[in-house]
Amino acid sequence: MLISACDPTIVPPPRTADHYFKEGENFFDQHRYEDAVASWKKVRDSYYSPELNKLAELKIAEAQYLSDNYEEAAASYSAFIKEHPRDERLADALYFQGMSYYKQMLSKDRDQTATVNALQTFRSLIRNYPKDERLEEVGVLIQRTRNRLAEHEVYVGRFYLRTENYQAAVNRLKGI
């Protein structure tokens, strides 16, 4: 016991942002997305390197998206878009933010907030990047979101008809 008490304590050298970033990459390659996010958050929150921080923010959002954590992915992409409005990867961030909302869409009888957010994000992508290579796919996704919103309005309109609230039914169905 005395011998172990006399051993000098070995303090590991401080780790760099580059170390944590590479660690996150390794976790990501192994599909250990939560561990990758934790490593990249250390880069983002603890160190100052503008380009590495931006890249870490994007990688965090990508890992959240790939792990089906669409709510957090949408929030991460949104934060990236707000913080870096002139970044060359903004079209990708918009696309995956829209996809994050799209993957959260609920059935016609449920809240359609995610559907509205997906539609707005995809429209923003088309408006700001009219030459993006994903425009055809985004056009299809926009049509699907619009169809879901129309299904929701019909569902609500039918409810108002069943409850004999005819003016509310007309107002709902008129928009379609």
Side-chain angles (χ1 to χ4, degrees):
M1 209 162 153
L2 283 175
I3 295 172
S4 67
C6 295
D7 274 346
T9 305
I10 298 174
V11 178
R15 296 201 168 138
T16 64
D18 191 47
H19 168 80
Y20 286 118
F21 190 83
K22 287 178 183 173
E23 179 181 72
E25 290 281 304
N26 290 334
F27 288 139
F28 186 84
D29 291 341
Q30 298 168 20
H31 303 283
R32 294 173 53 190
Y33 299 122
E34 287 181 29
D35 293 330
V37 167
S39 291
W40 289 325
K41 281 184 177 180
K42 289 176 188 174
V43 173
R44 184 195 65 192
D45 298 340
S46 303
Y47 302 95
Y48 184 72
S49 167
E51 189 54 37
L52 199 57
N53 286 358
K54 279 197 290 188
L55 193 53
E57 289 172 19
L58 274 178
K59 297 300 270 178
I60 288 168
E62 181 182 2
Q64 291 167 333
Y65 180 83
L66 291 174
S67 65
D68 300 337
N69 195 347
Y70 301 120
E71 248 180 82
E72 286 188 24
S76 294
Y77 282 118
S78 178
F80 180 84
I81 291 164
K82 286 177 186 169
E83 290 175 27
H84 312 288
R86 289 185 172 75
D87 192 273
E88 65 273 2
R89 297 165 287 211
L90 207 57
D92 293 331
L94 276 170
Y95 172 78
F96 283 106
Q97 179 188 29
M99 288 303 297
S100 296
Y101 288 131
Y102 183 82
K103 300 248 183 192
Q104 294 177 65
M105 286 183 1
L106 301 174
S107 61
K108 66 183 178 185
D109 59 334
R110 307 281 307 276
D111 178 43
Q112 295 300 307
T113 301
T115 310
V116 170
N117 289 340
L119 179 60
Q120 291 172 345
T121 304
F122 289 141
R123 284 181 173 165
S124 177
L125 176 63
I126 287 177
R127 183 176 53 255
N128 294 317
Y129 300 95
K131 295 181 181 177
D132 191 89
E133 61 191 28
R134 298 169 286 222
L135 286 184
E136 188 174 323
E137 177 190 356
V138 170
V140 170
L141 294 169
I142 285 174
Q143 190 58 46
R144 288 179 185 166
T145 57
R146 293 180 71 215
N147 287 345
R148 178 61 53 85
L149 291 173
E151 290 170 357
H152 177 71
E153 293 300 310
V154 169
Y155 177 82
V156 174
R158 286 183 177 161
F159 167 79
Y160 285 136
L161 283 174
R162 280 194 311 273
T163 60
E164 298 180 9
N165 190 344
Y166 300 116
Q167 188 57 48
V170 167
N171 291 341
R172 284 289 185 154
L173 298 173
K174 196 185 294 186
I176 298 173

PDB file of all heavy atoms in Angstrom, residues 8-36:
ATOM      1  N   PRO A   8       4.453   8.295  -8.566  1.00  0.00           N
ATOM      2  CA  PRO A   8       4.041   9.593  -9.095  1.00  0.00           C
ATOM      3  C   PRO A   8       2.796   9.426  -9.975  1.00  0.00           C
ATOM      4  O   PRO A   8       2.657   8.445 -10.690  1.00  0.00           O
ATOM      5  CB  PRO A   8       5.243  10.052  -9.930  1.00  0.00           C
ATOM      6  CG  PRO A   8       5.962   8.784 -10.273  1.00  0.00           C
ATOM      7  CD  PRO A   8       5.696   7.828  -9.146  1.00  0.00           C
ATOM      8  N   THR A   9       1.903  10.356  -9.873  1.00  0.00           N
ATOM      9  CA  THR A   9       0.696  10.315 -10.683  1.00  0.00           C
ATOM     10  C   THR A   9       1.038  10.730 -12.102  1.00  0.00           C
ATOM     11  O   THR A   9       1.658  11.771 -12.324  1.00  0.00           O
ATOM     12  CB  THR A   9      -0.367  11.274 -10.111  1.00  0.00           C
ATOM     13  OG1 THR A   9      -0.584  10.932  -8.751  1.00  0.00           O
ATOM     14  CG2 THR A   9      -1.660  11.182 -10.883  1.00  0.00           C
ATOM     15  N   ILE A  10       0.628   9.912 -13.027  1.00  0.00           N
ATOM     16  CA  ILE A  10       0.898  10.209 -14.431  1.00  0.00           C
ATOM     17  C   ILE A  10      -0.321  10.941 -14.998  1.00  0.00           C
ATOM     18  O   ILE A  10      -1.422  10.402 -15.023  1.00  0.00           O
ATOM     19  CB  ILE A  10       1.173   8.932 -15.234  1.00  0.00           C
ATOM     20  CG1 ILE A  10       2.412   8.242 -14.674  1.00  0.00           C
ATOM     21  CG2 ILE A  10       1.324   9.256 -16.708  1.00  0.00           C
ATOM     22  CD1 ILE A  10       2.689   6.897 -15.297  1.00  0.00           C
ATOM     23  N   VAL A  11      -0.098  12.155 -15.410  1.00  0.00           N
ATOM     24  CA  VAL A  11      -1.164  12.970 -15.985  1.00  0.00           C
ATOM     25  C   VAL A  11      -1.026  12.913 -17.501  1.00  0.00           C
ATOM     26  O   VAL A  11       0.028  13.260 -18.036  1.00  0.00           O
ATOM     27  CB  VAL A  11      -1.061  14.431 -15.496  1.00  0.00           C
ATOM     28  CG1 VAL A  11      -2.133  15.290 -16.129  1.00  0.00           C
ATOM     29  CG2 VAL A  11      -1.122  14.490 -13.992  1.00  0.00           C
ATOM     30  N   PRO A  12      -2.074  12.447 -18.177  1.00  0.00           N
ATOM     31  CA  PRO A  12      -1.964  12.384 -19.632  1.00  0.00           C
ATOM     32  C   PRO A  12      -1.902  13.798 -20.218  1.00  0.00           C
ATOM     33  O   PRO A  12      -2.445  14.744 -19.639  1.00  0.00           O
ATOM     34  CB  PRO A  12      -3.251  11.673 -20.059  1.00  0.00           C
ATOM     35  CG  PRO A  12      -4.200  11.857 -18.935  1.00  0.00           C
ATOM     36  CD  PRO A  12      -3.368  12.014 -17.697  1.00  0.00           C
ATOM     37  N   PRO A  13      -1.223  13.957 -21.322  1.00  0.00           N
ATOM     38  CA  PRO A  13      -1.157  15.284 -21.933  1.00  0.00           C
ATOM     39  C   PRO A  13      -2.541  15.724 -22.404  1.00  0.00           C
ATOM     40  O   PRO A  13      -3.383  14.881 -22.725  1.00  0.00           O
ATOM     41  CB  PRO A  13      -0.213  15.082 -23.127  1.00  0.00           C
ATOM     42  CG  PRO A  13      -0.263  13.631 -23.409  1.00  0.00           C
ATOM     43  CD  PRO A  13      -0.552  12.949 -22.110  1.00  0.00           C
ATOM     44  N   PRO A  14      -2.786  17.014 -22.419  1.00  0.00           N
ATOM     45  CA  PRO A  14      -4.098  17.489 -22.869  1.00  0.00           C
ATOM     46  C   PRO A  14      -4.328  17.116 -24.336  1.00  0.00           C
ATOM     47  O   PRO A  14      -3.403  17.102 -25.136  1.00  0.00           O
ATOM     48  CB  PRO A  14      -4.023  19.010 -22.692  1.00  0.00           C
ATOM     49  CG  PRO A  14      -2.587  19.329 -22.542  1.00  0.00           C
ATOM     50  CD  PRO A  14      -1.884  18.103 -22.077  1.00  0.00           C
ATOM     51  N   ARG A  15      -5.550  16.798 -24.640  1.00  0.00           N
ATOM     52  CA  ARG A  15      -5.888  16.390 -26.002  1.00  0.00           C
ATOM     53  C   ARG A  15      -6.291  17.611 -26.808  1.00  0.00           C
ATOM     54  O   ARG A  15      -6.863  18.564 -26.305  1.00  0.00           O
ATOM     55  CB  ARG A  15      -7.015  15.380 -25.968  1.00  0.00           C
ATOM     56  CG  ARG A  15      -6.548  14.113 -25.258  1.00  0.00           C
ATOM     57  CD  ARG A  15      -7.400  12.956 -25.625  1.00  0.00           C
ATOM     58  NE  ARG A  15      -6.757  11.733 -25.162  1.00  0.00           N
ATOM     59  CZ  ARG A  15      -7.394  10.744 -24.585  1.00  0.00           C
ATOM     60  NH1 ARG A  15      -8.692  10.827 -24.397  1.00  0.00           N
ATOM     61  NH2 ARG A  15      -6.751   9.675 -24.207  1.00  0.00           N
ATOM     62  N   THR A  16      -6.004  17.531 -28.082  1.00  0.00           N
ATOM     63  CA  THR A  16      -6.285  18.654 -28.974  1.00  0.00           C
ATOM     64  C   THR A  16      -7.628  18.473 -29.653  1.00  0.00           C
ATOM     65  O   THR A  16      -8.214  17.384 -29.657  1.00  0.00           O
ATOM     66  CB  THR A  16      -5.195  18.754 -30.060  1.00  0.00           C
ATOM     67  OG1 THR A  16      -5.265  17.568 -30.869  1.00  0.00           O
ATOM     68  CG2 THR A  16      -3.807  18.897 -29.448  1.00  0.00           C
ATOM     69  N   ALA A  17      -8.090  19.543 -30.278  1.00  0.00           N
ATOM     70  CA  ALA A  17      -9.329  19.489 -31.047  1.00  0.00           C
ATOM     71  C   ALA A  17      -9.201  18.481 -32.172  1.00  0.00           C
ATOM     72  O   ALA A  17     -10.144  17.737 -32.472  1.00  0.00           O
ATOM     73  CB  ALA A  17      -9.668  20.871 -31.595  1.00  0.00           C
ATOM     74  N   ASP A  18      -8.033  18.443 -32.790  1.00  0.00           N
ATOM     75  CA  ASP A  18      -7.799  17.496 -33.881  1.00  0.00           C
ATOM     76  C   ASP A  18      -7.937  16.056 -33.389  1.00  0.00           C
ATOM     77  O   ASP A  18      -8.510  15.212 -34.082  1.00  0.00           O
ATOM     78  CB  ASP A  18      -6.413  17.733 -34.479  1.00  0.00           C
ATOM     79  CG  ASP A  18      -6.217  16.973 -35.770  1.00  0.00           C
ATOM     80  OD1 ASP A  18      -7.119  17.027 -36.622  1.00  0.00           O
ATOM     81  OD2 ASP A  18      -5.159  16.318 -35.914  1.00  0.00           O
ATOM     82  N   HIS A  19      -7.442  15.781 -32.175  1.00  0.00           N
ATOM     83  CA  HIS A  19      -7.565  14.440 -31.599  1.00  0.00           C
ATOM     84  C   HIS A  19      -9.042  14.068 -31.442  1.00  0.00           C
ATOM     85  O   HIS A  19      -9.461  12.974 -31.829  1.00  0.00           O
ATOM     86  CB  HIS A  19      -6.858  14.374 -30.242  1.00  0.00           C
ATOM     87  CG  HIS A  19      -7.192  13.135 -29.472  1.00  0.00           C
ATOM     88  ND1 HIS A  19      -6.590  11.928 -29.718  1.00  0.00           N
ATOM     89  CD2 HIS A  19      -8.104  12.925 -28.485  1.00  0.00           C
ATOM     90  CE1 HIS A  19      -7.109  11.013 -28.918  1.00  0.00           C
ATOM     91  NE2 HIS A  19      -8.019  11.597 -28.152  1.00  0.00           N
ATOM     92  N   TYR A  20      -9.834  14.969 -30.853  1.00  0.00           N
ATOM     93  CA  TYR A  20     -11.249  14.675 -30.635  1.00  0.00           C
ATOM     94  C   TYR A  20     -11.994  14.564 -31.970  1.00  0.00           C
ATOM     95  O   TYR A  20     -12.911  13.755 -32.106  1.00  0.00           O
ATOM     96  CB  TYR A  20     -11.898  15.733 -29.744  1.00  0.00           C
ATOM     97  CG  TYR A  20     -11.501  15.593 -28.303  1.00  0.00           C
ATOM     98  CD1 TYR A  20     -10.822  16.602 -27.643  1.00  0.00           C
ATOM     99  CD2 TYR A  20     -11.808  14.433 -27.586  1.00  0.00           C
ATOM    100  CE1 TYR A  20     -10.453  16.466 -26.319  1.00  0.00           C
ATOM    101  CE2 TYR A  20     -11.444  14.296 -26.257  1.00  0.00           C
ATOM    102  CZ  TYR A  20     -10.770  15.316 -25.627  1.00  0.00           C
ATOM    103  OH  TYR A  20     -10.409  15.180 -24.310  1.00  0.00           O
ATOM    104  N   PHE A  21     -11.585  15.363 -32.947  1.00  0.00           N
ATOM    105  CA  PHE A  21     -12.247  15.280 -34.242  1.00  0.00           C
ATOM    106  C   PHE A  21     -11.985  13.913 -34.888  1.00  0.00           C
ATOM    107  O   PHE A  21     -12.908  13.263 -35.387  1.00  0.00           O
ATOM    108  CB  PHE A  21     -11.786  16.409 -35.177  1.00  0.00           C
ATOM    109  CG  PHE A  21     -12.613  16.496 -36.408  1.00  0.00           C
ATOM    110  CD1 PHE A  21     -13.826  17.175 -36.398  1.00  0.00           C
ATOM    111  CD2 PHE A  21     -12.223  15.866 -37.575  1.00  0.00           C
ATOM    112  CE1 PHE A  21     -14.611  17.233 -37.533  1.00  0.00           C
ATOM    113  CE2 PHE A  21     -13.010  15.920 -38.712  1.00  0.00           C
ATOM    114  CZ  PHE A  21     -14.208  16.603 -38.682  1.00  0.00           C
ATOM    115  N   LYS A  22     -10.734  13.480 -34.863  1.00  0.00           N
ATOM    116  CA  LYS A  22     -10.388  12.165 -35.429  1.00  0.00           C
ATOM    117  C   LYS A  22     -11.066  11.042 -34.651  1.00  0.00           C
ATOM    118  O   LYS A  22     -11.500  10.051 -35.237  1.00  0.00           O
ATOM    119  CB  LYS A  22      -8.876  11.981 -35.454  1.00  0.00           C
ATOM    120  CG  LYS A  22      -8.203  12.820 -36.513  1.00  0.00           C
ATOM    121  CD  LYS A  22      -6.696  12.650 -36.496  1.00  0.00           C
ATOM    122  CE  LYS A  22      -6.058  13.566 -37.535  1.00  0.00           C
ATOM    123  NZ  LYS A  22      -4.610  13.558 -37.456  1.00  0.00           N
ATOM    124  N   GLU A  23     -11.144  11.200 -33.348  1.00  0.00           N
ATOM    125  CA  GLU A  23     -11.833  10.207 -32.530  1.00  0.00           C
ATOM    126  C   GLU A  23     -13.301  10.102 -32.967  1.00  0.00           C
ATOM    127  O   GLU A  23     -13.847   9.003 -33.113  1.00  0.00           O
ATOM    128  CB  GLU A  23     -11.742  10.614 -31.057  1.00  0.00           C
ATOM    129  CG  GLU A  23     -12.431   9.673 -30.100  1.00  0.00           C
ATOM    130  CD  GLU A  23     -12.306  10.165 -28.668  1.00  0.00           C
ATOM    131  OE1 GLU A  23     -12.973  11.167 -28.316  1.00  0.00           O
ATOM    132  OE2 GLU A  23     -11.541   9.539 -27.910  1.00  0.00           O
ATOM    133  N   GLY A  24     -13.918  11.253 -33.205  1.00  0.00           N
ATOM    134  CA  GLY A  24     -15.299  11.266 -33.690  1.00  0.00           C
ATOM    135  C   GLY A  24     -15.426  10.579 -35.043  1.00  0.00           C
ATOM    136  O   GLY A  24     -16.379   9.830 -35.286  1.00  0.00           O
ATOM    137  N   GLU A  25     -14.455  10.817 -35.921  1.00  0.00           N
ATOM    138  CA  GLU A  25     -14.455  10.166 -37.231  1.00  0.00           C
ATOM    139  C   GLU A  25     -14.387   8.647 -37.084  1.00  0.00           C
ATOM    140  O   GLU A  25     -15.090   7.921 -37.794  1.00  0.00           O
ATOM    141  CB  GLU A  25     -13.268  10.650 -38.069  1.00  0.00           C
ATOM    142  CG  GLU A  25     -13.379  12.082 -38.539  1.00  0.00           C
ATOM    143  CD  GLU A  25     -14.299  12.215 -39.729  1.00  0.00           C
ATOM    144  OE1 GLU A  25     -14.079  11.539 -40.743  1.00  0.00           O
ATOM    145  OE2 GLU A  25     -15.261  12.996 -39.612  1.00  0.00           O
ATOM    146  N   ASN A  26     -13.536   8.172 -36.186  1.00  0.00           N
ATOM    147  CA  ASN A  26     -13.416   6.731 -35.964  1.00  0.00           C
ATOM    148  C   ASN A  26     -14.731   6.139 -35.447  1.00  0.00           C
ATOM    149  O   ASN A  26     -15.169   5.092 -35.910  1.00  0.00           O
ATOM    150  CB  ASN A  26     -12.272   6.412 -34.997  1.00  0.00           C
ATOM    151  CG  ASN A  26     -10.916   6.674 -35.618  1.00  0.00           C
ATOM    152  OD1 ASN A  26     -10.757   6.624 -36.830  1.00  0.00           O
ATOM    153  ND2 ASN A  26      -9.935   6.961 -34.786  1.00  0.00           N
ATOM    154  N   PHE A  27     -15.337   6.806 -34.484  1.00  0.00           N
ATOM    155  CA  PHE A  27     -16.628   6.345 -33.972  1.00  0.00           C
ATOM    156  C   PHE A  27     -17.678   6.340 -35.085  1.00  0.00           C
ATOM    157  O   PHE A  27     -18.469   5.413 -35.205  1.00  0.00           O
ATOM    158  CB  PHE A  27     -17.108   7.214 -32.806  1.00  0.00           C
ATOM    159  CG  PHE A  27     -16.350   7.024 -31.525  1.00  0.00           C
ATOM    160  CD1 PHE A  27     -16.011   8.118 -30.739  1.00  0.00           C
ATOM    161  CD2 PHE A  27     -15.982   5.759 -31.078  1.00  0.00           C
ATOM    162  CE1 PHE A  27     -15.332   7.956 -29.541  1.00  0.00           C
ATOM    163  CE2 PHE A  27     -15.300   5.580 -29.880  1.00  0.00           C
ATOM    164  CZ  PHE A  27     -14.968   6.686 -29.112  1.00  0.00           C
ATOM    165  N   PHE A  28     -17.674   7.397 -35.895  1.00  0.00           N
ATOM    166  CA  PHE A  28     -18.634   7.521 -36.992  1.00  0.00           C
ATOM    167  C   PHE A  28     -18.479   6.360 -37.970  1.00  0.00           C
ATOM    168  O   PHE A  28     -19.467   5.762 -38.393  1.00  0.00           O
ATOM    169  CB  PHE A  28     -18.421   8.869 -37.702  1.00  0.00           C
ATOM    170  CG  PHE A  28     -19.437   9.164 -38.752  1.00  0.00           C
ATOM    171  CD1 PHE A  28     -20.655   9.727 -38.414  1.00  0.00           C
ATOM    172  CD2 PHE A  28     -19.184   8.902 -40.084  1.00  0.00           C
ATOM    173  CE1 PHE A  28     -21.599  10.013 -39.385  1.00  0.00           C
ATOM    174  CE2 PHE A  28     -20.113   9.175 -41.055  1.00  0.00           C
ATOM    175  CZ  PHE A  28     -21.330   9.736 -40.708  1.00  0.00           C
ATOM    176  N   ASP A  29     -17.240   6.042 -38.318  1.00  0.00           N
ATOM    177  CA  ASP A  29     -16.979   4.939 -39.248  1.00  0.00           C
ATOM    178  C   ASP A  29     -17.452   3.597 -38.690  1.00  0.00           C
ATOM    179  O   ASP A  29     -17.773   2.686 -39.452  1.00  0.00           O
ATOM    180  CB  ASP A  29     -15.489   4.865 -39.588  1.00  0.00           C
ATOM    181  CG  ASP A  29     -15.023   6.045 -40.430  1.00  0.00           C
ATOM    182  OD1 ASP A  29     -15.880   6.721 -41.045  1.00  0.00           O
ATOM    183  OD2 ASP A  29     -13.800   6.300 -40.454  1.00  0.00           O
ATOM    184  N   GLN A  30     -17.497   3.485 -37.360  1.00  0.00           N
ATOM    185  CA  GLN A  30     -17.959   2.259 -36.713  1.00  0.00           C
ATOM    186  C   GLN A  30     -19.469   2.304 -36.425  1.00  0.00           C
ATOM    187  O   GLN A  30     -19.992   1.442 -35.729  1.00  0.00           O
ATOM    188  CB  GLN A  30     -17.207   2.052 -35.392  1.00  0.00           C
ATOM    189  CG  GLN A  30     -15.721   1.882 -35.546  1.00  0.00           C
ATOM    190  CD  GLN A  30     -15.006   1.970 -34.195  1.00  0.00           C
ATOM    191  OE1 GLN A  30     -15.607   1.793 -33.140  1.00  0.00           O
ATOM    192  NE2 GLN A  30     -13.716   2.242 -34.241  1.00  0.00           N
ATOM    193  N   HIS A  31     -20.142   3.343 -36.935  1.00  0.00           N
ATOM    194  CA  HIS A  31     -21.580   3.541 -36.721  1.00  0.00           C
ATOM    195  C   HIS A  31     -21.917   3.742 -35.245  1.00  0.00           C
ATOM    196  O   HIS A  31     -23.026   3.444 -34.809  1.00  0.00           O
ATOM    197  CB  HIS A  31     -22.404   2.387 -37.310  1.00  0.00           C
ATOM    198  CG  HIS A  31     -22.154   2.176 -38.766  1.00  0.00           C
ATOM    199  ND1 HIS A  31     -22.688   2.987 -39.731  1.00  0.00           N
ATOM    200  CD2 HIS A  31     -21.386   1.262 -39.413  1.00  0.00           C
ATOM    201  CE1 HIS A  31     -22.281   2.574 -40.920  1.00  0.00           C
ATOM    202  NE2 HIS A  31     -21.476   1.531 -40.760  1.00  0.00           N
ATOM    203  N   ARG A  32     -20.967   4.251 -34.494  1.00  0.00           N
ATOM    204  CA  ARG A  32     -21.186   4.596 -33.086  1.00  0.00           C
ATOM    205  C   ARG A  32     -21.480   6.095 -33.036  1.00  0.00           C
ATOM    206  O   ARG A  32     -20.666   6.903 -32.601  1.00  0.00           O
ATOM    207  CB  ARG A  32     -19.961   4.220 -32.253  1.00  0.00           C
ATOM    208  CG  ARG A  32     -19.741   2.709 -32.194  1.00  0.00           C
ATOM    209  CD  ARG A  32     -18.456   2.318 -31.523  1.00  0.00           C
ATOM    210  NE  ARG A  32     -18.317   2.917 -30.187  1.00  0.00           N
ATOM    211  CZ  ARG A  32     -17.200   2.878 -29.482  1.00  0.00           C
ATOM    212  NH1 ARG A  32     -16.125   2.262 -29.964  1.00  0.00           N
ATOM    213  NH2 ARG A  32     -17.134   3.439 -28.300  1.00  0.00           N
ATOM    214  N   TYR A  33     -22.676   6.442 -33.491  1.00  0.00           N
ATOM    215  CA  TYR A  33     -23.018   7.841 -33.718  1.00  0.00           C
ATOM    216  C   TYR A  33     -23.068   8.662 -32.433  1.00  0.00           C
ATOM    217  O   TYR A  33     -22.639   9.820 -32.434  1.00  0.00           O
ATOM    218  CB  TYR A  33     -24.337   7.940 -34.483  1.00  0.00           C
ATOM    219  CG  TYR A  33     -24.274   7.276 -35.845  1.00  0.00           C
ATOM    220  CD1 TYR A  33     -25.141   6.260 -36.188  1.00  0.00           C
ATOM    221  CD2 TYR A  33     -23.316   7.668 -36.774  1.00  0.00           C
ATOM    222  CE1 TYR A  33     -25.073   5.656 -37.441  1.00  0.00           C
ATOM    223  CE2 TYR A  33     -23.234   7.067 -38.023  1.00  0.00           C
ATOM    224  CZ  TYR A  33     -24.120   6.062 -38.347  1.00  0.00           C
ATOM    225  OH  TYR A  33     -24.048   5.463 -39.587  1.00  0.00           O
ATOM    226  N   GLU A  34     -23.577   8.103 -31.354  1.00  0.00           N
ATOM    227  CA  GLU A  34     -23.644   8.862 -30.099  1.00  0.00           C
ATOM    228  C   GLU A  34     -22.241   9.212 -29.595  1.00  0.00           C
ATOM    229  O   GLU A  34     -22.010  10.329 -29.127  1.00  0.00           O
ATOM    230  CB  GLU A  34     -24.409   8.076 -29.035  1.00  0.00           C
ATOM    231  CG  GLU A  34     -25.891   8.019 -29.290  1.00  0.00           C
ATOM    232  CD  GLU A  34     -26.640   7.267 -28.209  1.00  0.00           C
ATOM    233  OE1 GLU A  34     -26.171   7.254 -27.043  1.00  0.00           O
ATOM    234  OE2 GLU A  34     -27.695   6.704 -28.516  1.00  0.00           O
ATOM    235  N   ASP A  35     -21.317   8.260 -29.699  1.00  0.00           N
ATOM    236  CA  ASP A  35     -19.938   8.524 -29.285  1.00  0.00           C
ATOM    237  C   ASP A  35     -19.288   9.557 -30.205  1.00  0.00           C
ATOM    238  O   ASP A  35     -18.530  10.421 -29.752  1.00  0.00           O
ATOM    239  CB  ASP A  35     -19.121   7.234 -29.286  1.00  0.00           C
ATOM    240  CG  ASP A  35     -19.587   6.245 -28.226  1.00  0.00           C
ATOM    241  OD1 ASP A  35     -20.087   6.693 -27.178  1.00  0.00           O
ATOM    242  OD2 ASP A  35     -19.461   5.022 -28.456  1.00  0.00           O
ATOM    243  N   ALA A  36     -19.592   9.466 -31.493  1.00  0.00           N
ATOM    244  CA  ALA A  36     -19.049  10.442 -32.448  1.00  0.00           C
ATOM    245  C   ALA A  36     -19.553  11.839 -32.119  1.00  0.00           C
ATOM    246  O   ALA A  36     -18.775  12.800 -32.099  1.00  0.00           O
ATOM    247  CB  ALA A  36     -19.444  10.049 -33.871  1.00  0.00           C
TER     248      ALA A  36
END
